[in-house]
Amino acid sequence: MEDLKPNYQTQKILLSGNVSDETESYLIWACHLSNNLSNSTLFSVRQAHFARCPRREFFDKNDFYRSEFKDRYVSVSYAQLCKDFKFNHNYIGLGGQQAQQCIKSVVESIQSYNQLLKKYWQKEIDIKPKLPNYRKSGGLNQVTFPSQAVTYNKYEGYCSLAISNEARPNLEIKKLIIPSGVDFKPEQLVEVRITPSNGKLWAEYVYKSDKKQANDLDYSQAIGLDPGVNNWLTGVSTLGKSFILCGKKIKSINQKYNKLVAKYKKGKSNFSWDSFLANLTHKRNCQRRDVVNKAARFIINYCLVNKIGNIVFGWGKEIKQNSNLGKINNQNFVAIPTARLKKRIKELAEAIGIKFIETEEAYTSKSDYLAEDCLFKFGEKPEQYRFSVRRITRGNYRSKFGIICADALGAINIIKKVAIQLGISLVEVGRESLIVPKRYDLFSNLKKLYRKRSEMVLRLSRSNA
């Protein structure tokens, strides 16, 4: 059997309200030090770069004299930075390993800038990248504790984090105790990240997990997914079945959030922020994260139960950045976390051996699959060509073979775009699957027992191998 390389997974646990006041105060103080060290490191890198970087003098199109630094790669050495900041009070206060992780994050951001700059010169991207900027003074930054600085007690349900030698004499507590993660062994733990967000502290457990390969998947079958708003995700499979994940409740959550924020900020500055808005945003973000996980787990469960080996996701590049649907529709469309859902489905699918294919979705809701209309790539449709379907109501089309659901039509056409490359047959997809897909409400229909079915099916497939 082929050796399965470990992949990394993350568990996120809320700390605020679940740890002692002393522990929370220390972690907030550590996040302040991390913010200061990040800015100090970035300042050192930027100043060294500008000192070596030549200036370019020129006249612009309006004949004004200009002077600016020439674009060059930023040379950065992680080892040298650690050596330079070894006696910095922020470095000492955080502790060696935590401070090194903070410096490493700055180095990685510089390296990402260099890679983007190279792609910009090679015309692979249109927007010129900018050097990483400083974090807000006095703010909080993530603190990372590597596994060597963590004592993980799986059986008693807690985790102990290292305290720097400088801070230890001034603390009343001897250990930093936080709730532990679940379903992984101590030797699998890679790091624990303390992340501030909207006035709350979170613990992110990063650990190695072996891929659980499903052995009975049929790679001649596929499911096409068409994202939307009210119909958040519409799926049609090559087995002739279809469904819709309802997005109305997600839209209402965003509408309520925007309404409360607008009412609270009336007469105040647009940049005003306080604990009420932080708690409101925290609640909205938790609801969004929960529904993304439920929807992604539903898709994976559906594929495992029906032994589908391919997921084809229709996606338009930079579709939200270029959206022009009006003020209200833009607010609904942009705020729905479809991109995050796509990423989560891809992560879960690849972890168990399901192939994830992303394709552009131009003309998928206009081309009549039943009438065998042509399906073009974006911008390649001849002006004189006319599709067979005709809209009669919002979301419904009149085809030559009757009324069909526009989103279901889009989902099957998404598969059609890649059917030849994947060797997929669409003969079982008929009019019935495009009329009335079964609708699921993510907040009421999907119980915990249902979401666990995918894990049970996966265990059975492994045991039968």
Side-chain angles (χ1 to χ4, degrees):
M1 183 178 177
E2 183 183 356
D3 292 335
L4 297 176
K5 296 182 180 179
N7 63 319
Y8 293 95
Q9 296 187 2
T10 304
Q11 289 185 20
K12 195 171 182 180
I13 298 175
L14 181 64
L15 296 183
S16 298
N18 297 319
V19 295
S20 65
D21 293 340
E22 294 81 3
T23 298
E24 187 169 357
S25 298
Y26 175 85
L27 292 177
I28 292 174
W29 176 72
C31 290
H32 276 294
L33 295 183
S34 176
N35 190 75
N36 296 339
L37 181 60
S38 176
N39 284 339
S40 300
T41 306
L42 186 57
F43 177 81
S44 177
V45 173
R46 288 170 63 101
Q47 294 306 307
H49 173 66
F50 294 146
R52 295 189 297 265
C53 188
R55 299 188 69 89
R56 182 169 70 98
E57 300 176 351
F58 62 99
F59 290 92
D60 63 12
K61 62 181 180 180
N62 298 319
D63 289 332
F64 288 107
Y65 174 79
R66 301 292 184 188
S67 177
E68 63 180 19
F69 289 106
K70 290 185 177 180
D71 295 324
R72 291 182 58 181
Y73 292 130
V74 182
S75 59
V76 57
S77 170
Y78 166 69
Q80 185 60 42
L81 287 172
C82 289
K83 184 178 180 181
D84 294 341
F85 284 90
K86 187 175 182 179
F87 298 104
N88 182 281
H89 68 280
N90 295 307
Y91 186 104
I92 298 173
L94 273 175
Q97 292 180 321
Q98 294 79 261
Q100 289 169 8
Q101 294 294 323
C102 179
I103 293 175
K104 186 179 292 184
S105 66
V106 176
V107 173
E108 289 173 350
S109 67
I110 296 295
Q111 292 173 346
S112 297
Y113 165 78
N114 289 337
Q115 293 173 2
L116 289 173
L117 190 61
K118 181 179 179 180
K119 291 184 177 181
Y120 176 75
W121 286 336
Q122 295 175 350
K123 308 297 183 182
E124 295 182 17
I125 57 176
D126 299 328
I127 302 176
K128 181 181 176 181
K130 295 182 179 180
L131 272 171
N133 212 340
Y134 301 107
R135 299 183 61 84
K136 182 178 179 180
S137 177
L140 303 179
N141 187 30
Q142 177 179 277
V143 179
T144 302
F145 293 83
S147 58
Q148 298 89 341
V150 177
T151 302
Y152 179 71
N153 194 318
K154 173 183 177 182
Y155 301 102
E156 296 187 16
Y158 73 88
C159 180
S160 177
L161 305 178
I163 302 176
S164 65
N165 293 329
E166 182 186 68
R168 191 180 298 275
N170 301 323
L171 294 178
E172 297 180 359
I173 56 174
K174 301 302 179 183
K175 291 183 178 181
L176 292 175
I177 303 299
I178 63 173
S180 67
V182 295
D183 296 335
F184 63 89
K185 300 177 182 178
E187 57 269 19
Q188 294 177 290
L189 184 64
V190 177
E191 63 185 20
V192 178
R193 299 193 292 244
I194 306 300
T195 305
S197 176
N198 294 310
K200 309 288 184 181
L201 286 180
W202 296 82
E204 297 180 352
Y205 288 89
V206 181
Y207 62 95
K208 292 181 180 180
S209 176
D210 293 333
K211 290 185 178 181
K212 301 176 180 178
Q213 184 76 26
N215 298 307
D216 57 348
L217 295 174
D218 186 356
Y219 292 100
S220 65
Q221 304 294 340
I223 182 172
L225 300 177
D226 180 56
V229 181
N230 286 341
N231 297 339
W232 190 23
L233 214 58
T234 304
V236 177
S237 71
T238 52
L239 301 173
K241 299 179 181 179
S242 59
F243 62 85
I244 291 175
L245 296 184
C246 184
K248 293 182 179 179
K249 183 66 179 293
I250 310 167
K251 190 173 73 171
S252 69
I253 289 173
N254 288 318
Q255 288 175 336
K256 182 179 179 180
Y257 170 79
N258 293 326
K259 182 178 180 180
L260 289 174
V261 170
K263 182 178 179 180
Y264 187 77
K265 280 192 171 185
K266 188 175 181 179
K268 300 180 181 179
S269 168
N270 289 333
F271 300 99
S272 63
W273 194 259
D274 56 20
S275 59
F276 174 81
L277 293 175
N279 289 330
L280 193 65
T281 305
H282 166 74
K283 179 180 178 180
R284 193 276 303 262
N285 290 346
C286 288
Q287 290 173 324
R288 283 157 54 104
R289 186 165 64 96
D290 177 63
V291 75
V292 165
N293 289 331
K294 285 180 178 178
R297 179 55 62 188
F298 173 88
I299 299 299
I300 300 303
N301 179 79
Y302 190 91
C303 292
L304 287 172
V305 171
N306 294 283
K307 302 180 181 180
I308 297 174
N310 298 283
I311 295 176
V312 186
F313 201 103
W315 190 250
K317 186 178 180 181
E318 297 183 355
I319 185 172
K320 290 189 176 183
Q321 286 83 347
N322 301 323
S323 61
N324 186 20
L325 307 174
K327 181 178 179 181
I328 296 177
N329 289 329
N330 261 359
Q331 187 181 79
N332 293 330
F333 179 61
V334 174
I336 291 180
T338 308
R340 190 180 302 178
L341 173 61
K342 175 173 70 73
K343 181 181 178 181
R344 185 61 179 151
I345 293 174
K346 182 179 180 180
E347 291 172 352
L348 294 177
E350 293 178 346
I352 60 174
I354 298 176
K355 294 181 181 179
F356 183 90
I357 302 97
E358 181 181 326
T359 183
E360 54 92 19
E361 55 176 356
Y363 310 111
T364 54
S365 293
K366 295 182 178 181
S367 174
D368 189 355
Y369 166 77
L370 299 176
E372 299 183 354
D373 282 354
C374 295
L375 195 58
F376 304 96
K377 292 184 179 180
F378 181 74
E380 296 183 1
K381 185 181 81 67
E383 292 184 4
Q384 66 276 13
Y385 189 86
R386 294 293 180 267
F387 294 108
S388 302
V389 294
R390 182 171 61 88
R391 183 187 295 274
I392 55 174
T393 60
R394 181 73 182 100
N396 288 326
Y397 285 93
R398 186 181 299 280
S399 169
K400 290 182 179 179
F401 300 91
I403 299 174
I404 56 178
C405 173
D407 292 323
L409 178 65
I412 191 57
N413 278 329
I414 284 170
I415 302 180
K416 185 179 177 181
K417 288 209 168 200
V418 296
I420 297 177
Q421 297 92 310
L422 299 178
I424 295 173
S425 174
L426 303 178
V427 294
E428 295 189 28
V429 181
R431 178 173 172 269
E432 181 181 356
S433 58
L434 303 181
I435 298 178
V436 186
K438 185 175 181 180
R439 179 176 291 270
Y440 292 93
D441 183 353
L442 295 168
F443 290 88
S444 60
N445 290 138
L446 301 185
K447 305 298 182 182
K448 185 175 180 180
L449 179 62
Y450 181 85
R451 300 197 303 272
K452 289 290 183 180
R453 283 178 57 197
S454 60
E455 300 175 10
M456 180 61 68
V457 173
L458 183 58
R459 275 199 298 270
L460 291 174
S461 69
R462 288 172 59 83
S463 62
N464 295 332

PDB file of all heavy atoms in Angstrom, residues 234-246:
ATOM      1  N   THR A 234     -25.772  24.532  -5.073  1.00  0.00           N
ATOM      2  CA  THR A 234     -26.633  23.587  -5.775  1.00  0.00           C
ATOM      3  C   THR A 234     -25.759  22.494  -6.367  1.00  0.00           C
ATOM      4  O   THR A 234     -24.781  22.792  -7.064  1.00  0.00           O
ATOM      5  CB  THR A 234     -27.427  24.274  -6.893  1.00  0.00           C
ATOM      6  OG1 THR A 234     -28.178  25.363  -6.337  1.00  0.00           O
ATOM      7  CG2 THR A 234     -28.380  23.294  -7.553  1.00  0.00           C
ATOM      8  N   GLY A 235     -26.106  21.239  -6.084  1.00  0.00           N
ATOM      9  CA  GLY A 235     -25.314  20.118  -6.557  1.00  0.00           C
ATOM     10  C   GLY A 235     -26.127  19.174  -7.419  1.00  0.00           C
ATOM     11  O   GLY A 235     -27.281  18.869  -7.097  1.00  0.00           O
ATOM     12  N   VAL A 236     -25.522  18.737  -8.513  1.00  0.00           N
ATOM     13  CA  VAL A 236     -26.112  17.713  -9.377  1.00  0.00           C
ATOM     14  C   VAL A 236     -25.031  16.667  -9.636  1.00  0.00           C
ATOM     15  O   VAL A 236     -23.915  17.020 -10.022  1.00  0.00           O
ATOM     16  CB  VAL A 236     -26.613  18.292 -10.709  1.00  0.00           C
ATOM     17  CG1 VAL A 236     -27.143  17.179 -11.599  1.00  0.00           C
ATOM     18  CG2 VAL A 236     -27.692  19.333 -10.467  1.00  0.00           C
ATOM     19  N   SER A 237     -25.348  15.410  -9.403  1.00  0.00           N
ATOM     20  CA  SER A 237     -24.372  14.340  -9.591  1.00  0.00           C
ATOM     21  C   SER A 237     -24.633  13.596 -10.888  1.00  0.00           C
ATOM     22  O   SER A 237     -25.736  13.641 -11.447  1.00  0.00           O
ATOM     23  CB  SER A 237     -24.420  13.358  -8.415  1.00  0.00           C
ATOM     24  OG  SER A 237     -25.604  12.599  -8.442  1.00  0.00           O
ATOM     25  N   THR A 238     -23.621  12.894 -11.364  1.00  0.00           N
ATOM     26  CA  THR A 238     -23.771  12.079 -12.576  1.00  0.00           C
ATOM     27  C   THR A 238     -24.630  10.855 -12.324  1.00  0.00           C
ATOM     28  O   THR A 238     -24.926  10.109 -13.257  1.00  0.00           O
ATOM     29  CB  THR A 238     -22.387  11.644 -13.085  1.00  0.00           C
ATOM     30  OG1 THR A 238     -21.660  11.028 -12.012  1.00  0.00           O
ATOM     31  CG2 THR A 238     -21.596  12.831 -13.598  1.00  0.00           C
ATOM     32  N   LEU A 239     -25.050  10.640 -11.080  1.00  0.00           N
ATOM     33  CA  LEU A 239     -25.976   9.556 -10.760  1.00  0.00           C
ATOM     34  C   LEU A 239     -27.424   9.973 -10.981  1.00  0.00           C
ATOM     35  O   LEU A 239     -28.344   9.181 -10.757  1.00  0.00           O
ATOM     36  CB  LEU A 239     -25.788   9.118  -9.299  1.00  0.00           C
ATOM     37  CG  LEU A 239     -24.387   8.611  -8.926  1.00  0.00           C
ATOM     38  CD1 LEU A 239     -24.304   8.373  -7.421  1.00  0.00           C
ATOM     39  CD2 LEU A 239     -24.067   7.339  -9.685  1.00  0.00           C
ATOM     40  N   GLY A 240     -27.636  11.229 -11.376  1.00  0.00           N
ATOM     41  CA  GLY A 240     -28.989  11.699 -11.643  1.00  0.00           C
ATOM     42  C   GLY A 240     -29.707  12.224 -10.424  1.00  0.00           C
ATOM     43  O   GLY A 240     -30.936  12.269 -10.402  1.00  0.00           O
ATOM     44  N   LYS A 241     -28.964  12.646  -9.366  1.00  0.00           N
ATOM     45  CA  LYS A 241     -29.561  13.190  -8.154  1.00  0.00           C
ATOM     46  C   LYS A 241     -29.117  14.643  -7.983  1.00  0.00           C
ATOM     47  O   LYS A 241     -28.042  15.039  -8.433  1.00  0.00           O
ATOM     48  CB  LYS A 241     -29.156  12.365  -6.935  1.00  0.00           C
ATOM     49  CG  LYS A 241     -29.596  10.900  -6.995  1.00  0.00           C
ATOM     50  CD  LYS A 241     -29.130  10.144  -5.769  1.00  0.00           C
ATOM     51  CE  LYS A 241     -29.545   8.679  -5.838  1.00  0.00           C
ATOM     52  NZ  LYS A 241     -29.082   7.911  -4.649  1.00  0.00           N
ATOM     53  N   SER A 242     -29.950  15.432  -7.286  1.00  0.00           N
ATOM     54  CA  SER A 242     -29.637  16.846  -7.110  1.00  0.00           C
ATOM     55  C   SER A 242     -30.121  17.323  -5.752  1.00  0.00           C
ATOM     56  O   SER A 242     -31.018  16.733  -5.149  1.00  0.00           O
ATOM     57  CB  SER A 242     -30.277  17.682  -8.228  1.00  0.00           C
ATOM     58  OG  SER A 242     -31.679  17.508  -8.239  1.00  0.00           O
ATOM     59  N   PHE A 243     -29.542  18.417  -5.271  1.00  0.00           N
ATOM     60  CA  PHE A 243     -29.915  18.995  -3.971  1.00  0.00           C
ATOM     61  C   PHE A 243     -29.526  20.468  -3.970  1.00  0.00           C
ATOM     62  O   PHE A 243     -28.749  20.942  -4.809  1.00  0.00           O
ATOM     63  CB  PHE A 243     -29.226  18.262  -2.815  1.00  0.00           C
ATOM     64  CG  PHE A 243     -27.723  18.350  -2.844  1.00  0.00           C
ATOM     65  CD1 PHE A 243     -27.058  19.441  -2.297  1.00  0.00           C
ATOM     66  CD2 PHE A 243     -26.968  17.346  -3.439  1.00  0.00           C
ATOM     67  CE1 PHE A 243     -25.684  19.527  -2.335  1.00  0.00           C
ATOM     68  CE2 PHE A 243     -25.589  17.429  -3.471  1.00  0.00           C
ATOM     69  CZ  PHE A 243     -24.946  18.513  -2.925  1.00  0.00           C
ATOM     70  N   ILE A 244     -30.081  21.191  -2.993  1.00  0.00           N
ATOM     71  CA  ILE A 244     -29.761  22.606  -2.784  1.00  0.00           C
ATOM     72  C   ILE A 244     -29.499  22.823  -1.301  1.00  0.00           C
ATOM     73  O   ILE A 244     -30.282  22.378  -0.455  1.00  0.00           O
ATOM     74  CB  ILE A 244     -30.914  23.530  -3.243  1.00  0.00           C
ATOM     75  CG1 ILE A 244     -31.043  23.502  -4.764  1.00  0.00           C
ATOM     76  CG2 ILE A 244     -30.686  24.961  -2.773  1.00  0.00           C
ATOM     77  CD1 ILE A 244     -32.228  24.302  -5.277  1.00  0.00           C
ATOM     78  N   LEU A 245     -28.395  23.506  -0.980  1.00  0.00           N
ATOM     79  CA  LEU A 245     -28.138  23.962   0.384  1.00  0.00           C
ATOM     80  C   LEU A 245     -28.642  25.388   0.482  1.00  0.00           C
ATOM     81  O   LEU A 245     -28.136  26.288  -0.202  1.00  0.00           O
ATOM     82  CB  LEU A 245     -26.645  23.892   0.714  1.00  0.00           C
ATOM     83  CG  LEU A 245     -26.015  22.494   0.712  1.00  0.00           C
ATOM     84  CD1 LEU A 245     -24.560  22.569   1.141  1.00  0.00           C
ATOM     85  CD2 LEU A 245     -26.777  21.543   1.624  1.00  0.00           C
ATOM     86  N   CYS A 246     -29.641  25.602   1.325  1.00  0.00           N
ATOM     87  CA  CYS A 246     -30.301  26.905   1.419  1.00  0.00           C
ATOM     88  C   CYS A 246     -29.373  27.948   2.045  1.00  0.00           C
ATOM     89  O   CYS A 246     -28.711  27.692   3.064  1.00  0.00           O
ATOM     90  CB  CYS A 246     -31.584  26.778   2.247  1.00  0.00           C
ATOM     91  SG  CYS A 246     -32.540  28.297   2.322  1.00  0.00           S
TER      92      CYS A 246
END
